[in-house]
Amino acid sequence: MKRILVAEDNDSNWTLMTYVLKKYYEPVRACNGKEAVEMALSEDFAVVLMDLKMPVLDGLEATRQIKAVKPDMPIIALTANAFDTDRQQAFDAGCDNFLSKPVSAEKCLKIIADYIK
């Protein structure tokens, strides 16, 4: 089963993502951006779902750091901020795709599947 790194500091959002993913993938949680970078660079994940607003290190900077070392790692921004500027900042930081919260389970799974060959 492919592992998905879910960088999410909010417990209820993590619970929701676990529910969405667990049938098809093994979700693994990072509680802040620093943990996400450390885990993404030291472990094997098929995709990273990156919350953009997190403590210690935000998702944009975490994405930049991961992409600097693993440019082919698919990172999907996951945020409640759905403005065009937020979307553009995510893409500028290196995110490969963008999902806004609340997340549609169907859309989330389809986007993840697009990155897993």
Side-chain angles (χ1 to χ4, degrees):
M1 188 175 278
K2 301 255 187 215
R3 298 171 78 220
I4 306 289
L5 179 59
V6 181
E8 177 59 70
D9 62 311
N10 181 286
D11 290 338
S12 58
N13 289 339
W14 162 245
T15 300
L16 173 64
M17 292 313 302
T18 300
Y19 179 77
V20 168
L21 298 170
K22 68 182 179 183
K23 184 175 178 182
Y24 307 100
Y25 306 104
E26 179 188 343
V28 178
R29 184 181 190 183
C31 292
N32 61 59
K34 183 176 185 293
E35 278 183 17
V37 171
E38 291 168 356
M39 293 171 73
L41 297 183
S42 66
E43 299 178 44
D44 187 33
F45 294 100
V47 171
V48 177
L49 295 177
M50 183 70 74
D51 183 17
L52 298 184
K53 303 283 188 211
M54 288 186 294
V56 184
L57 186 69
D58 71 41
L60 296 173
E61 183 56 31
T63 296
R64 286 184 199 97
Q65 291 183 21
I66 293 167
K67 287 290 193 169
V69 179
K70 290 187 171 182
D72 296 331
M73 168 74 70
I75 300 178
I76 301 166
L78 191 61
T79 185
N81 302 333
F83 296 108
D84 287 340
T85 54
D86 299 308
R87 179 182 296 270
Q88 191 57 54
Q89 285 179 331
F91 287 124
D92 289 347
C95 290
D96 298 286
N97 214 315
F98 188 94
L99 284 169
S100 45
K101 297 175 187 173
V103 173
S104 150
E106 183 178 315
K107 185 174 182 181
C108 180
L109 292 170
K110 184 195 176 311
I111 287 174
I112 290 170
D114 288 345
Y115 292 97
I116 296 177
K117 305 300 179 238

